[in-house]
Amino acid sequence: ADIAGDGSIYFFSLSEDHFDSGIQGEPLSHADAIKVSMVAGATDPEYMTIGENSNEILVTSSNGRVSRICVPSAGCKAAARNAQMAYGGQTLCGIGVLPPPNNSYLVADQGRDKIFECPLTSTNEYIASCPVFAYKPEGTPWGPFGILVDNTKKLVYVTDSTYNNVHVFAFDGSYMGHLQQKLGFLITPKGLAIKPGPLASLSTVHPPTSATAGEPQIIPLTLRDKSNEPLPASYPVSKEVPHYRV
């Protein structure tokens, strides 16, 4: 999905045809998308995340509201699900959903320097009435911006775009630490993402015990992801694999 400045969200298909068109051919345009207007009362969308269900999204708006919007053609009933979830935010930024048993969403209110945790089960919540999930880690000022929820490790990562850091919290709001070690390592961090696929530090190379000069060798790899789970043999590997001769 793409956030637009006209009070709308554009949903693009990720079918193979559209993907190839956008990457290898002409860039995708709004003509290739389904346009959905924001919930009544909400102005231009700012940031979004997958909602309680995979066929809906939560979106923050420039006038301090959180909206729930159905993904088109995904089995979500817009008349029942599209709603204003919360209002009264001051410069809302990142947003993320905590899975059960939390059943809540986190929203960064940079105007209040807080992250609020609001219930997914209710609508029209005044944001400041939601419990505070995080406020001034280690007692220092901060400017919470982006939010990334890692369901596997049960951690929440928050970028601090004002004081240039990335803070880490447990699902219960306990502060776990930060990623930056020295001033200047990060400059105005905002968005966050987890890279899919193998993690080199957890993957293993199995070199052969013997080799013949000039003959190609097959070197098995055990690929593991960030959770130290093995990736299947069918996992696609880049064709740009280096070759060596003994």
Side-chain angles (χ1 to χ4, degrees):
D2 177 34
I3 287 175
D6 61 355
S8 305
I9 298 174
Y10 290 83
F11 290 88
F12 293 88
S13 169
L14 288 182
S15 67
E16 186 173 346
D17 291 342
H18 281 81
F19 187 81
D20 287 343
S21 172
I23 300 299
Q24 300 176 2
E26 293 297 321
L28 293 172
S29 69
H30 287 167
D32 300 304
I34 298 176
K35 179 180 177 180
V36 176
S37 297
M38 289 287 284
V39 171
T43 52
D44 291 344
E46 295 285 344
Y47 303 93
M48 60 184 168
T49 188
I50 297 295
E52 180 181 9
N53 303 308
S54 60
N55 59 1
E56 59 193 27
I57 60 174
L58 297 182
V59 188
T60 59
S61 65
S62 57
N63 64 339
R65 304 189 182 201
V66 177
S67 302
R68 182 176 61 209
I69 297 176
C70 281
V71 176
S73 305
C76 178
K77 297 181 179 179
R81 296 296 291 172
N82 284 11
Q84 176 178 279
M85 300 292 288
Y87 66 96
Q90 297 178 6
T91 315
L92 297 186
C93 298
I95 187 169
V97 170
L98 292 179
N102 295 70
N103 290 318
S104 58
Y105 65 90
L106 305 176
V107 59
D109 191 327
Q110 202 169 51
R112 294 185 173 98
D113 288 338
K114 298 178 182 178
I115 295 178
F116 293 101
E117 181 176 359
C118 300
L120 283 166
T121 53
S122 61
T123 57
N124 272 329
E125 290 278 345
Y126 180 56
I127 286 180
S129 69
C130 295
V132 175
F133 176 83
Y135 173 68
K136 288 188 178 181
E138 300 180 315
T140 60
W142 73 327
F145 196 96
I147 294 176
L148 174 66
V149 177
D150 186 340
N151 290 331
T152 302
K153 293 186 176 181
K154 300 187 184 305
L155 294 174
V156 177
Y157 298 87
V158 180
T159 58
D160 179 347
S161 62
T162 304
Y163 296 93
N164 304 322
N165 218 324
V166 176
H167 298 279
V168 187
F169 300 87
F171 276 10
D172 63 359
S174 301
Y175 186 63
M176 307 297 289
H178 57 84
L179 300 186
Q180 180 177 346
Q181 296 177 346
K182 296 180 180 179
L183 183 66
F185 275 24
L186 297 171
I187 304 297
T188 319
K190 292 185 177 180
L192 287 160
I194 296 175
K195 180 182 178 180
L199 181 63
S201 60
L202 296 177
S203 299
T204 307
V205 178
H206 305 279
T209 56
S210 62
T212 302
E215 295 293 326
Q217 299 294 316
I218 297 177
I219 302 177
L221 301 174
T222 300
L223 301 179
R224 295 180 177 273
D225 63 15
K226 67 181 180 66
S227 302
N228 204 23
E229 294 294 329
L231 295 172
S234 59
Y235 185 84
V237 179
S238 172
K239 296 179 181 179
E240 298 178 3
V241 178
H243 293 76
Y244 300 91
R245 284 188 176 275
V246 178

